[in-house]
């Protein structure tokens, strides 16, 4: 597949032509707010009390590495205590410094092969692939542990230029074992079609931290989406 092939529209029923792979239930991937205060550790604890969370990504733009490292220490400890993967955004050097469980790379944040060489085989490496099947396959070939597609919905968390159709998740899950993460404006109200399309993880931010009843309620609200009939 070439980059030009990404221009071809996917048939939403594409995956139905293939044998469905048995995959674990979709899980929650929590992303930090763009800025955090001294009390954020309490907010993270509350969120993790709200229901199962597979991973937490620390995403603090515009801060120096030393400042992020200081902010990370209590959050990383909380994640370790709760068996939640602690992921660092963008920076391979910071992930190595902290001994993080993983690093998430944007398209301009380095090559997954170089990240693997620096971080070793046990660290999870994720790659942003926007709405591109070509970029996702390249990331998989480069040794990524998961690929992220989005933004699926309007979001104020970050500027977005790409808006994939959920069918890209169906296409990916039908052909590849590598997990996919759906990201961008996802809420408990709009996330169900992404789960049904084949997302392995829903990456969420504002839906949890800005929830009217607090972050625990924000996480709890996703349980019926991820585990229908179990709440």
């Amino acid at each position: 597949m070439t980059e030009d092939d990404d221009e071809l529209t996917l048939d939403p029923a594409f995956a139905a032509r293939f044998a469905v792979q048995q995959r674990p239930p979709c899980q929650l991937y929590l992303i930090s707010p763009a800025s955090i205060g001294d009390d954020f550790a309490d907010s993270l604890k509350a969120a993790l009390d709200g229901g199962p969370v597979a991973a937490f990504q620390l995403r603090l733009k515009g801060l120096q590495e030393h400042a992020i490292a200081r902010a990370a220490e209590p959050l990383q400890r909380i994640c370790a205590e709760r068996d939640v993967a602690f992921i660092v955004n963008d920076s391979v050097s910071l992930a190595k410094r902290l001994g993080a469980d993983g690093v998430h790379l944007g398209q301009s944040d380095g090559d997954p092969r170089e990240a693997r060489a620096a971080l070793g085989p046990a660290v999870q490496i994720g790659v942003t692939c926007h709405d591109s099947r070509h970029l996702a396959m390249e990331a998989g070939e480069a040794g990524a542990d998961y690929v992220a597609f989005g933004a699926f919905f309007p979001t104020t968390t970050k500027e977005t230029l790409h808006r994939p159709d959920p069918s890209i998740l169906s296409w990916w899950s039908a052909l590849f074992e590598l997990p996919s993460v759906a990201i961008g404006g996802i809420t408990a109200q709009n996330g169900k079609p992404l789960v049904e399309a084949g997302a392995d993880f829903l990456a969420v931010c504002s839906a949890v931290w800005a929830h009217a009843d607090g972050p625990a309620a924000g996480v709890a609200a996703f349980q019926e989406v991820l585990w229908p009939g179990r709440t």
Side-chain angles (χ1 to χ4, degrees), residues 26 153 185-197 199 202 222 225:
C26 187
F153 304 104
I186 299 172
T187 68
Q189 289 70 46
N190 64 24
K192 184 178 179 180
L194 303 179
V195 177
E196 293 175 341
L202 296 185
F222 278 94
V225 178

Side-chain angles (χ1 to χ4, degrees), residues 31-54:
I31 299 178
S32 74
S35 61
I36 61 177
D38 293 338
D39 61 347
F40 182 71
D42 291 333
S43 296
L44 178 58
K45 288 179 182 178
L48 300 184
D49 284 341
V53 173

Side-chain angles (χ1 to χ4, degrees), residues 91-93 95-97 99-103 105 111-126 142-145:
S91 176
V92 173
S93 62
K96 185 173 184 178
R97 172 178 174 175
D101 298 307
V103 65
L105 302 176
D111 188 290
R113 296 179 185 86
E114 295 176 359
R116 179 69 66 207
L119 299 174
V123 173
Q124 298 289 301
I125 297 173
D145 294 291

Side-chain angles (χ1 to χ4, degrees), residues 41 44-45 69-79 81 86:
L44 178 58
K45 288 179 182 178
R70 285 195 300 272
E73 183 179 354
L75 309 180
Q76 188 173 7
R77 185 167 58 250
I78 291 167
C79 287
E81 292 169 351
F86 182 81

Side-chain angles (χ1 to χ4, degrees), residues 11-20 170-171 174:
D11 176 0
F14 173 88
R17 300 200 296 268
F18 295 82
V20 177
S170 302
W171 167 80

Side-chain angles (χ1 to χ4, degrees), residues 54-84:
F56 169 75
Q57 182 189 130
L58 184 61
R59 182 181 183 275
L60 300 176
K61 295 288 190 179
L63 293 182
Q64 293 184 342
E65 186 172 295
H66 291 300
I68 300 176
R70 285 195 300 272
E73 183 179 354
L75 309 180
Q76 188 173 7
R77 185 167 58 250
I78 291 167
C79 287
E81 292 169 351
R82 309 294 185 92
D83 197 26
V84 173

